[in-house]
Amino acid sequence: MSPKVVESTHGYSAKVAAIFLFNLLTGVGILALPAAVAKAGLVSGILVLVTVAFMAFVSLTFVVEVLSTANAWTMLHPKTNSKGSSQIYPCKNVGEKLAAKSKVTSNGGFNPFEIKEKVEMGHMAELFLGSAGSTFFYAVLCLYLYGDLAIYAVSVATTLTTTTGADPDISYYSFLLGFLMIIGPFCFFNFQKTTYLQMFTMIMRNTAIVLMVILSAVDIANGNRVPLDNIILCDVPETKELLGMAVFSFMCHHSIAPIILLLKDKKKSFAVILFDYVIELLYSSILILSAAINRPASEINSLYTLNFGDYPIEMLAKFLSFYPVFTLSSNFPLVCITLRNNLLTLFKAKQFGYSQQVFTLVALIPPAAIAIFVHDIRKLVVLTGSFAGLAIMLVTPALLVLYSRHQLQCIIGSHWRDMHPHLSPFQHSAWIYLVLIFSAFVLFSKIF
């Protein structure tokens, strides 16, 4: 999203926050995991998922900590531009103000590190990594969103082609064109995700996933199972591919700020995040195990819902087959609008006439072109996760927390940890370097 600083005026409970975060985590990536893990091997596949989920959790706690630090900067040194909107920049005397506030805080006064405003990750990068860091973040975020849109477009066109049984050489492009012509115009508007859309999407996703698990379990109980000696346990080349896909599946870091902002009891932030990552990991594992035991790896579709197109009960078969079409079509305009706003910020083009219309086309055309030439959903997910997703989920949070802690140490001293209410549980600098080393490992495993 474009960098905004938005004040919180209301909030919701930890349960509602957990629902919203779970909805972010349970995206289209989970539908690609059964085939990927079955081919990589159950042992190595589950190990990859656990490792990536843990690293994602660690880096997300870094984001929450930096969000709290950025709130202190925002409160103590706001800067208003000519149009009256608030911007935030570090300044020479912010350290003196923080130091003064720290004395008040220690005596029971207001804590400047309390999260009262939403500071987007792009703004955090501008604060603590400078203009180069901010540009880097917006660039990789735009690349990630381009990949997201391409995955959505290919998923919808592939689902419609497979479900209707039409000639794939012709119908894929027809369905892709139809999808873009129907959904594309909505990308020119301005709207945000609502609670109702969140709830609708969550219900659809969970119904589909639970239904797939139940149908696979029933099929296994009826004797349709893969012999144990035919189940792949470890395949190194496929495991390398799975790393990028797992990053794509567990990445929600760029969208965490509004969820934390509206959480009433922000002391529960880390508990909510941990709960959701554990549930998401268990959820994914159950879906993967039911698929791998029920079908050979070679028979599991890259878009897992397509495996149920021939289920005897036609109503269930149609629901699961068309599930990606319903949910991805509703999310496509939202992602496209988010991409457009980030492009406007990256190129500083908001003040130009017709910039919204022009950059909507800039956001819409490249994913459409990618979908024309690349039909492999798995390849798109791996590439998006291995590069742009990796930079957003692991590299940027690690650098943000590294440099924000360094600045706090320089201007306040070690006392800053006593007044910071949202410190990551992973305080030792070794955790930061571990995240960066793991990022390099994932990157090099994809390149080499």
Side-chain angles (χ1 to χ4, degrees):
M1 295 182 180
S2 56
K4 294 180 180 179
V5 181
V6 182
E7 188 175 354
S8 172
T9 56
H10 57 280
Y12 41 62
S13 67
K15 292 181 181 178
V16 176
I19 290 173
F20 283 2
L21 181 56
F22 183 76
N23 197 31
L24 283 175
L25 286 171
T26 314
V28 68
I30 194 174
L31 300 180
L33 286 178
V37 174
K39 292 174 182 176
L42 289 184
V43 174
S44 58
I46 297 298
L47 181 61
V48 164
L49 292 184
V50 172
T51 304
V52 173
F54 176 72
M55 289 296 178
F57 169 69
V58 172
S59 63
L60 197 52
T61 65
F62 290 165
V63 175
V64 175
E65 178 182 318
V66 179
L67 174 61
S68 176
T69 304
N71 265 256
W73 252 259
T74 304
M75 186 195 74
L76 297 173
H77 187 64
K79 181 178 179 179
T80 304
N81 63 18
S82 58
K83 295 184 179 181
S85 61
S86 179
Q87 295 181 325
I88 47 178
Y89 301 96
C91 64
K92 293 181 180 179
N93 64 341
V94 72
E96 298 175 2
K97 293 180 179 179
L98 275 175
K101 281 287 181 181
S102 69
K103 296 177 181 178
V104 177
T105 303
S106 62
N107 294 325
F110 173 73
N111 192 332
F113 287 91
E114 290 292 346
I115 300 175
K116 298 293 183 180
E117 297 179 341
K118 180 180 71 174
V119 183
E120 302 284 5
M121 279 187 71
H123 243 154
M124 296 181 204
E126 186 177 358
L127 273 172
F128 303 113
L129 303 179
S131 59
S134 178
T135 301
F136 167 78
F137 173 78
Y138 281 115
V140 295
L141 179 58
C142 289
L143 288 175
Y144 174 83
L145 295 175
Y146 272 127
D148 231 8
L149 291 175
I151 291 166
Y152 284 17
V154 172
S155 298
V156 171
T158 300
T159 296
L160 292 173
T161 301
T162 304
T163 303
T164 57
D167 182 2
D169 294 332
I170 300 174
S171 57
Y172 174 87
Y173 299 102
S174 301
F175 284 127
L176 178 62
L177 178 61
F179 170 74
L180 293 172
M181 290 181 66
I182 294 172
I183 302 299
F186 291 98
C187 300
F188 288 85
F189 301 142
N190 280 308
F191 57 89
Q192 300 292 330
K193 290 183 179 180
T194 64
T195 301
Y196 297 108
L197 180 59
Q198 291 269 8
M199 296 301 294
F200 168 77
T201 305
M202 187 199 70
I203 292 171
M204 289 286 288
R205 284 175 179 168
N206 284 277
T207 301
I209 292 171
V210 171
L211 192 57
M212 286 187 286
V213 171
I214 292 174
L215 295 182
S216 295
V218 170
D219 210 24
I220 292 170
N222 291 334
N224 297 317
R225 62 172 67 91
V226 179
L228 291 178
D229 55 350
N230 289 345
I231 294 177
I232 302 171
L233 298 180
C234 181
D235 185 303
V236 175
E238 293 289 344
T239 301
K240 291 181 179 179
E241 293 289 298
L242 177 60
L243 280 167
M245 193 171 293
V247 169
F248 182 85
S249 300
F250 288 107
M251 206 277 283
C252 64
H253 298 53
H254 61 301
S255 302
I256 192 65
I259 294 178
I260 299 301
L261 173 72
L262 294 177
L263 180 60
K264 286 181 181 178
D265 186 359
K266 294 178 176 58
K267 293 180 180 179
K268 296 181 178 179
S269 297
F270 296 137
V272 168
I273 295 170
L274 178 60
F275 173 81
D276 272 312
Y277 268 97
V278 170
I279 294 299
E280 178 68 15
L281 187 58
L282 292 174
Y283 212 42
S284 303
S285 299
I286 292 171
L287 181 67
I288 291 163
L289 289 172
S290 64
I293 295 173
N294 183 220
R295 302 171 185 264
S298 59
E299 295 181 11
I300 302 177
N301 201 292
S302 295
L303 197 62
Y304 186 48
T305 49
L306 296 178
N307 278 101
F308 298 88
D310 58 353
Y311 194 75
I313 302 177
E314 186 176 359
M315 183 179 69
L316 297 181
K318 292 297 183 184
F319 171 75
L320 290 175
S321 296
F322 285 104
Y323 154 74
V325 177
F326 298 139
T327 56
L328 299 183
S329 296
S330 63
N331 283 339
F332 188 92
L334 298 172
V335 176
C336 191
I337 290 169
T338 301
L339 174 58
R340 178 196 68 203
N341 293 340
N342 279 284
L343 289 170
L344 287 169
T345 300
L346 179 62
F347 293 101
K348 299 178 173 61
K350 291 184 178 181
Q351 68 273 22
F352 300 119
Y354 300 103
S355 59
Q356 179 169 311
Q357 292 78 8
V358 171
F359 276 87
T360 298
L361 292 174
V362 173
L364 193 57
I365 292 174
I370 293 172
I372 291 173
F373 295 104
V374 183
H375 303 177
D376 191 338
I377 297 170
R378 182 185 177 190
K379 182 182 293 184
L380 289 172
V381 172
V382 170
L383 288 174
T384 303
S386 297
F387 298 101
L390 191 69
I392 297 169
M393 188 180 89
L394 298 177
V395 177
T396 302
L399 293 178
L400 282 173
V401 79
L402 180 66
Y403 283 96
S404 65
R405 287 177 182 176
H406 175 71
Q407 290 195 34
L408 288 172
Q409 184 71 28
C410 290
I411 62 180
I412 297 181
S414 59
H415 179 58
W416 72 270
R417 296 179 187 274
D418 299 328
M419 61 185 296
H420 203 303
H422 300 291
L423 286 175
S424 167
F426 307 96
Q427 275 298 292
H428 199 285
S429 58
W431 288 107
I432 300 175
Y433 296 111
L434 178 63
V435 169
L436 292 173
I437 291 171
F438 181 73
S439 304
F441 172 76
V442 174
L443 180 63
F444 287 126
S445 68
K446 177 57 186 172
I447 296 175
F448 302 107

